[in-house]
Amino acid sequence: LDSRSLITQIISSCGAGLHEELVFRMGLFHCGGYLLDRRMNRKLAWISVAVATSALFSFVHYIGPLGDRFSLASFAFRFFLGLTLAAIYRFRGFAIAAWTHTLYDVLYFVLKRL
């Protein structure tokens, strides 16, 4: 069990939800999709960018001193979560994707303590 307090983890979850969605969905996904959309089939462009940014989103969770130890199961879970958040961002917008990510993180830490 993580030694940080629940309130610290909730605050961190809010930051992670907002900042990761800014970088991965608004920055990389949206800009990459916009650029590829102009050069190739629209559906293929957005699907390609969703796959690439979701793989990157999953991968960065293993980098650095606070990174998790790599496992294929957690990589796959985060990859599919990234695809889900990309779809939410594409069809519902930034705020819904950021709140979804934040609420998932908060729920994870709350349930982890039970």
Side-chain angles (χ1 to χ4, degrees):
L1 188 61
D2 196 329
S3 62
R4 297 185 301 167
S5 71
L6 181 58
I7 191 71
T8 301
Q9 290 175 322
I10 289 172
I11 292 168
S12 295
S13 296
C14 293
L18 175 66
H19 292 104
E20 288 181 9
E21 293 311 302
L22 278 170
V23 171
F24 290 99
R25 259 48 80 183
M26 187 175 272
L28 299 173
F29 174 72
H30 187 89
C31 292
Y34 176 78
L35 292 173
L36 285 182
D37 191 333
R38 301 165 101 27
R39 290 170 172 70
M40 61 192 300
N41 173 281
R42 172 168 273 177
K43 277 187 182 180
L44 183 59
W46 288 100
I47 290 170
S48 298
V49 172
V51 168
T53 59
S54 297
L56 185 60
F57 169 76
S58 183
F59 176 73
V60 300
H61 287 86
Y62 304 100
I63 297 174
L66 297 176
D68 293 339
R69 201 165 64 142
F70 182 83
S71 83
L72 187 56
S74 67
F75 183 88
F77 179 82
R78 287 181 175 129
F79 173 77
F80 287 112
L81 178 61
L83 286 177
T84 301
L85 291 168
I88 291 170
Y89 174 83
R90 177 84 171 119
F91 297 109
R92 296 301 311 259
F94 172 75
I96 303 298
W99 272 108
T100 301
H101 189 155
T102 298
L103 293 174
Y104 166 80
D105 286 351
V106 168
L107 184 62
Y108 170 82
F109 284 119
V110 168
L111 292 177
K112 186 177 172 182
R113 291 187 172 270
L114 296 180

